[in-house]
Amino acid sequence: MTALSSTLTWAQLRDLKCAELESAADGWGKASNRADAGRDRIEKQLLVGLRESQRGAAADAAVGRLRRMSRNLQYVYTECGLIRTALNSLAHEMRVQQGVLRRALEEAESLRFTVHADGSVSYPSGPGGLFDGDPLPGGTARVTGMPGLLPPSGLGAPDTHAARARDISDRVTGAVRAAARIDWRFTRILRRLRAEEGLKVPDRTWTDAAGDAAAVREAARGYLKSRIPRDAAPAAVREWWAHLTDEQREEYLAVYPDQIGNLDGIPSLIRDTANRDNLQLLIGKLEGRDDEVSRVRLAGLREIDRQLAEGGQPPMYLLGIGDEGNGRAIVSYGNPDTARNVAAYVPGLNTSLDEDFARGDLKRARDTAKAAMKYDHSSASMVWLGYDAPQFPDGLSSLAVGGDDRAVRGGNAFSQFMGGLAATNEHEDPHMTAIGHSYGSRTVGAATQQDGGIPGVDDIVLVGSPGVGVNRAEDLGVGKDHVFVGAAENDVVTKVPSVRQVAAGFFGLPGGPATAHMFGDATDPGGDDLWFGKDPASEAFGARRFPVAPGPRLIGPDGFSIDAHSNYFDAEPQRDAMSADAIALIAAGRADKVKMEEAR
C-alpha cells in the first residue's frame, strides 16, 4: 500500500491553479446576476406597467407568463449563485491544503531532502544517535498509517533527519489526502446542480433547489458562514455589510438568504431580497411532506408568496421568514428604512405561521399602514412574528402554559429587531412605535426590560392585554404619557384573573376565580390585577386609554364568541374603527390628536 490512497498527487495539488476555479466562479456569478437583473425588471417595471395600463383576459394571460418567467429567472439566479459559491469554496479549501503542502516542501528543500511522488521523503545521514552519538545513516521515511494520528514515540533523537523526514512526509500526505476528500465532496455537490429541461420550474424543482442550497451551505461553512456576525449588535452588522464587496454580498445572498434575510442590521431592501429567495426554498423544502405541521406551514408560506407576487400598495417588504419553532415571519407595508414613522405589531396568543396569520395578521399591519399614511405619507407598519406565542388548544390557560419564558425570549428578539430598524433607518430621529396585542403585549413589556429598553421606540400601544409584566406605565421606559392602551369591554383576555386570584378562588372564595376577579379580594384590593401584573387599562397602571368599541359579548345571541379580542385593528365601521384610527394616529406620530377616555 502506498502512502497516497488517491489518484491525486502532491505535484498536482501544488500546481493546481485556484485562480482558474475562481474565474469560473465569476462567470457563473455573472450569469446569476443577469438572471437577477431580468427578474428585477419584470417585477418592478413590466408587471407594474402592465397592471397599470392593461385590463382584460389578454392582460391577465400576459401577467401569468411574466410571473412564470420571473420565477424561472429566480431559479436560475439561485442555482448559478450556488455553483459560484461551490467553486469559490473549493478554491478556498484547496488553497489551505496548498499552503500546508508548500510549507512542507519548502522545509524539505532547505534540509536537502527529496520528496517522492508517493509522498515518501529521502534524507541524508545526519546528527548522532541518542545513545552513542555516531552519525545516523540516511534513508527514506514513509507514512504507513493515517498521517497525523500517531504521535512520535520519543525514542529517537528529537532532531534527527529521520524524524523530520517523517514529519514532512506526514504533512505532504495529509495535505494530499485532505485535498482528495475536498475534491470528491465538491464533485458530488456540483453534479447535483442540474436543472430539468423545459421552460417551467415546477414546485419539485424548488424542492431540489432547497437540497442543493443545503449542501452548498454546509460546504461553504468555513468560506462564508463563519464570517457572518450573527452575535454582533445591529450597528456592527450594518457596518459589516457596508464594507463587503459587491461580489461578497452577491454570494451571501445566493447561498445564505436565510442568514442575511433574518440578520438585524441588514438594510430592509436587502432583507426583502434575501427572504423572497429563502421563501421559495422553504416552500420547496416543505413541498410533498404529509405531516400536519408541514401542511399548515406550507399554506401560510404560499399565501405570503401569493401576496408578494400580487403586489399592491403599500408595497410589501419581507423582513424575516423561517421555519423554526412555530414559524417566523416579519412583513412590512412601506419601507421601514425610508419611512419617518415606523410601527411594529407583535401578535399574541395562538399565533403561528399559518394561513390565518398570512391573511389576518398581515391585514392588520397593512390596514395600520394605510391609515397611518393618511396622516403622514412617510409611514410604515409591520407584523413581527419572531417568537413562539402560546398556542391552543389550551385556550386561555395557554397564558399559564406560556408563562413568562416565551415573552422574555421573544422580548429579547424583538428588542434586537427594533435595534436593527433603528440602525438602518435613514432619518436622524425616526418616530417608532411598538404595538403589542394579547400575549404580544407581554412580549413588548419584556422587551422594555432589556438593557436600554427597546432601541429607538418612542411610543408603546397595548391592546387586548393580559398584563405586561410591570405594574406602572412609567416602568416601560418611554414615559407614561407615551404608553397607550385599548381594552374592549367584552374582551375576556383583558380580564384574566391574576395568579393569586385564581388561587383564592379555587381555595375557598365562593364562585371561583371569576368571582374573585370581579369583586376583588384580599389579594387584590383594587380589583385591577391581571395574570401578568396590573391591568394596563387601570388607573393604577397610569397609561393613556383610548376609546374602543365594546365588541361582541362572550355569550350572545349567536353563541360563544371571543371576537372582542380581535377587533382592535379593524377599520370597518361595524367592527372597531375608533381603535384602528387611534392606533394609526399614534403610529403616524399624531398621538396628540387621539381622544382619550377614563381608565378602568
Side-chain angles (χ1 to χ4, degrees):
M1 177 179 177
T2 63
L4 301 182
S5 59
S6 163
T7 56
L8 181 68
T9 67
W10 65 259
Q12 290 173 320
L13 176 59
R14 178 197 61 192
D15 297 337
L16 177 66
K17 294 179 173 58
C18 290
E20 292 183 356
L21 290 173
E22 292 169 333
S23 178
D26 289 342
W28 286 102
K30 290 177 181 177
S32 178
N33 293 341
R34 283 195 291 269
D36 190 41
R39 177 184 62 167
D40 195 59
R41 183 169 180 236
I42 289 173
E43 295 290 337
K44 296 182 179 179
Q45 296 180 33
L46 300 182
L47 279 173
V48 173
L50 191 58
R51 290 193 188 103
E52 291 178 349
S53 62
Q54 303 295 324
R55 295 289 185 275
D60 291 342
V63 166
R65 288 178 177 272
L66 284 173
R67 282 181 176 169
R68 188 174 73 178
M69 183 179 294
S70 176
R71 184 176 171 87
N72 292 353
L73 288 172
Q74 184 175 17
Y75 177 74
V76 172
Y77 160 78
T78 297
E79 291 291 296
C80 290
L82 292 176
I83 294 172
R84 169 184 55 193
T85 297
L87 290 172
N88 278 333
S89 297
L90 173 60
H92 170 77
E93 292 195 34
M94 284 298 196
R95 273 207 176 93
V96 172
Q97 300 309 320
Q98 281 183 321
V100 173
L101 174 66
R102 184 184 66 253
R103 288 187 290 274
L105 294 177
E106 288 173 351
E107 183 176 343
E109 184 178 10
S110 70
L111 295 170
R112 300 181 185 278
F113 290 2
T114 300
V115 181
H116 301 288
D118 64 352
S120 61
V121 178
S122 296
Y123 55 91
S125 59
L130 181 63
F131 300 107
D132 55 18
D134 293 336
L136 296 176
T140 299
R142 290 181 172 84
V143 175
T144 56
M146 291 300 291
L149 295 182
L150 297 176
S153 66
L155 296 178
D159 196 32
T160 63
H161 281 172
R164 300 186 75 174
R166 281 195 297 273
D167 176 62
I168 291 171
S169 180
D170 182 270
R171 284 184 280 154
V172 168
T173 305
V176 173
R177 286 179 174 171
R181 289 193 296 270
I182 293 166
D183 178 61
W184 173 236
R185 178 158 47 90
F186 279 94
T187 296
R188 287 184 296 171
I189 290 171
L190 289 166
R191 282 175 178 167
R192 286 186 54 176
L193 299 175
R194 295 182 302 176
E196 294 185 11
E197 293 184 3
L199 296 177
K200 187 177 181 181
V201 179
D203 289 335
R204 67 177 181 272
T205 305
W206 278 110
T207 301
D208 293 339
D212 296 341
V216 175
R217 287 171 185 171
E218 180 62 29
R221 183 179 297 274
Y223 169 61
L224 284 179
K225 187 176 181 180
S226 62
R227 304 175 190 179
I228 300 175
R230 290 181 295 278
D231 297 325
V237 171
R238 179 195 61 197
E239 289 302 309
W240 169 77
W241 183 261
H243 288 89
L244 293 176
T245 65
D246 289 342
E247 291 76 15
Q248 288 171 324
R249 292 176 186 168
E250 290 162 4
E251 279 202 87
Y252 278 116
L253 286 171
V255 182
Y256 290 108
D258 58 327
Q259 299 282 324
I260 301 304
N262 293 284
L263 192 58
D264 298 320
I266 297 292
S268 294
L269 283 174
I270 302 299
R271 291 183 71 157
D272 177 62
T273 297
N275 284 313
R276 287 177 187 243
D277 291 332
N278 192 41
L279 175 63
Q280 299 304 320
L281 295 175
L282 287 172
I283 290 173
K285 177 182 174 181
L286 297 176
E287 179 68 30
R289 294 186 182 180
D290 58 3
D291 61 284
E292 182 64 19
V293 171
S294 295
R295 286 197 297 269
V296 168
R297 190 156 301 167
L298 184 59
L301 292 172
R302 287 194 182 284
E303 175 58 24
I304 292 174
D305 186 43
R306 184 193 68 79
Q307 293 183 37
L308 287 168
E310 197 173 65
Q313 295 296 325
M316 288 175 67
Y317 294 85
L318 190 58
L319 303 184
I321 198 73
D323 62 351
E324 60 267 37
N326 293 329
R328 302 287 187 263
I330 308 169
V331 180
S332 179
Y333 292 89
N335 187 340
D337 288 354
T338 59
R340 182 167 45 247
N341 304 294
V342 179
Y345 144 61
V346 182
L349 183 65
N350 204 38
T351 308
S352 64
L353 180 52
D354 55 18
E355 193 168 1
D356 286 343
F357 166 83
R359 292 183 182 276
D361 290 282
L362 265 63
K363 181 180 184 300
R364 292 175 178 177
R366 182 174 62 248
D367 287 350
T368 299
K370 286 181 176 180
M373 287 177 178
K374 293 179 181 178
Y375 298 110
D376 187 339
H377 70 278
S378 184
S379 297
S381 175
M382 70 195 69
V383 55
W384 181 87
L385 180 59
Y387 79 119
D388 291 326
Q391 299 292 301
F392 283 123
D394 298 304
L396 296 178
S397 65
S398 290
L399 294 173
V401 174
D404 282 324
D405 291 344
R406 298 187 185 200
V408 170
R409 290 195 298 270
N412 180 57
F414 183 64
S415 179
Q416 181 83 359
F417 172 75
M418 296 302 288
L421 294 184
T424 57
N425 191 278
E426 297 174 3
H427 294 271
E428 184 175 347
D429 185 23
H431 171 255
M432 303 180 73
T433 305
I435 305 171
H437 174 239
S438 186
Y439 189 85
S441 67
R442 176 66 187 96
T443 303
V444 170
T448 68
Q449 303 307 298
Q450 302 291 319
D451 289 342
I454 310 178
V457 167
D458 304 285
D459 292 317
I460 293 175
V461 177
L462 309 169
V463 289
S465 176
V468 296
V470 300
N471 289 324
R472 300 180 304 172
E474 59 196 64
D475 293 332
L476 295 177
V478 294
K480 66 179 184 178
D481 290 340
H482 291 271
V483 179
F484 304 89
V485 177
E489 180 60 30
N490 293 321
D491 182 355
V492 66
V493 174
T494 70
K495 298 179 179 180
V496 176
S498 71
V499 177
R500 289 179 299 176
Q501 289 167 337
V502 169
F506 280 125
F507 296 105
L509 191 66
T515 303
H517 177 72
M518 291 173 64
F519 296 103
D521 55 49
T523 67
D524 180 23
D528 49 21
D529 282 354
L530 297 183
W531 191 266
F532 294 117
K534 290 293 180 187
D535 178 2
S538 69
E539 184 176 358
F541 191 80
R544 303 173 69 188
R545 186 183 180 194
F546 54 85
V548 173
R553 293 181 179 275
L554 187 63
I555 300 177
D558 298 325
F560 180 80
S561 171
I562 58 170
D563 285 352
H565 184 57
S566 306
N567 291 349
Y568 295 97
F569 300 87
D570 201 322
E572 296 177 16
Q574 65 271 29
R575 301 297 288 267
D576 196 356
M578 290 188 298
S579 175
D581 190 58
I583 293 172
L585 280 166
I586 297 165
R590 304 291 177 84
D592 57 310
K593 304 295 184 182
V594 178
K595 179 183 177 181
M596 299 299 168
E597 67 178 14
E598 291 185 2
R600 282 178 174 170

